[in-house]
Structure formats: C-alpha cells, structure tokens
C-alpha cells in the first residue's frame, strides 16, 4: 500500500466515525425525549470524543501531517455543538 492509499483509507474511516458516532450522537442527544435516550446517545459520543482526544495528544492532525477533511469535520461538529447550547443540556 502506498502512503496515499493509507491516508485515503484513514480519511474514509475518520469521516465515517465522525458521521456515525459524533454527528449522529450529537443529534440524538440534542433531541432525546427521555433521560434514558439522552444517556444512550451521550455515552458513546463522549467515549468517541475521548478516543479522538487521545489520538490527538501528541499530534496536530487526525491523519498525517496536514489538514484533512476529517479535521475540518471534527472542528465543525465541535463548534456547532458548543454554539447550539439549547440542544446540549450539559453545555460545553
């Protein structure tokens, strides 16, 4: 595998992770109709954010040494979540 192929595979993985776990988790938590539904959405969401934070501990970007779509999607998700505090009961 070339470095470019590996980078593309990682980009595909991270954008999928952001969509399935982070974006959907934010949406489900924001529109939860019960405490149980909120917990079901927020626990995997924060677990995923903790994993992403651990991955970024010693580096600037999610994939390689330059900005990618995955970094931008993560940033936009976090910023939009924090700015929509009316959907986020715990705030940022």
């Amino acid at each position: 595998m070339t470095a470019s192929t590996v980078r593309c595979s990682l980009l595909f993985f991270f954008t999928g992770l952001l969509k399935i776990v982070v974006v959907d988790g934010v949406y489900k938590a924001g529109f939860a109709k019960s405490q149980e539904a909120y917990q079901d959405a927020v626990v995997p969401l924060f677990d995923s954010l903790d994993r992403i934070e651990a991955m970024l501990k010693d580096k600037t970007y999610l994939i390689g040494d330059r900005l990618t779509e995955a970094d931008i999607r993560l940033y936009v998700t976090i910023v939009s979540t924090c700015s929509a505090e009316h959907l986020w009961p715990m705030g940022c």
Side-chain angles (χ1 to χ4, degrees):
M1 265 193 192
T2 66
S4 178
T5 304
V6 171
R7 208 173 289 119
C8 286
S9 296
L10 287 171
L11 180 61
F12 182 76
F13 171 77
F14 281 114
T15 55
L17 173 69
L18 290 172
K19 168 69 175 96
I20 292 168
V21 180
V22 179
V23 174
D24 290 350
V26 167
Y27 179 83
K28 289 176 184 175
F31 289 100
K33 302 247 187 247
S34 68
Q35 183 62 37
E36 182 180 358
Y38 177 80
Q39 286 299 121
D40 288 346
V42 90
V43 169
L45 169 62
F46 278 98
D47 288 346
S48 295
L49 291 174
D50 288 343
R51 280 189 296 247
I52 292 168
E53 182 180 25
M55 291 169 35
L56 289 169
K57 182 179 181 191
D58 296 323
K59 58 185 188 174
T60 304
Y61 304 109
L62 287 170
I63 303 168
D65 59 352
R66 57 185 142 171
L67 188 67
T68 65
E69 181 182 349
D71 299 297
I72 294 167
R73 285 179 182 243
L74 177 61
Y75 175 80
V76 169
T77 300
I78 291 171
V79 168
S80 64
T81 299
C82 290
S83 65
E85 289 186 35
H86 63 282
L87 296 178
W88 196 259
M90 296 180 354
C92 289

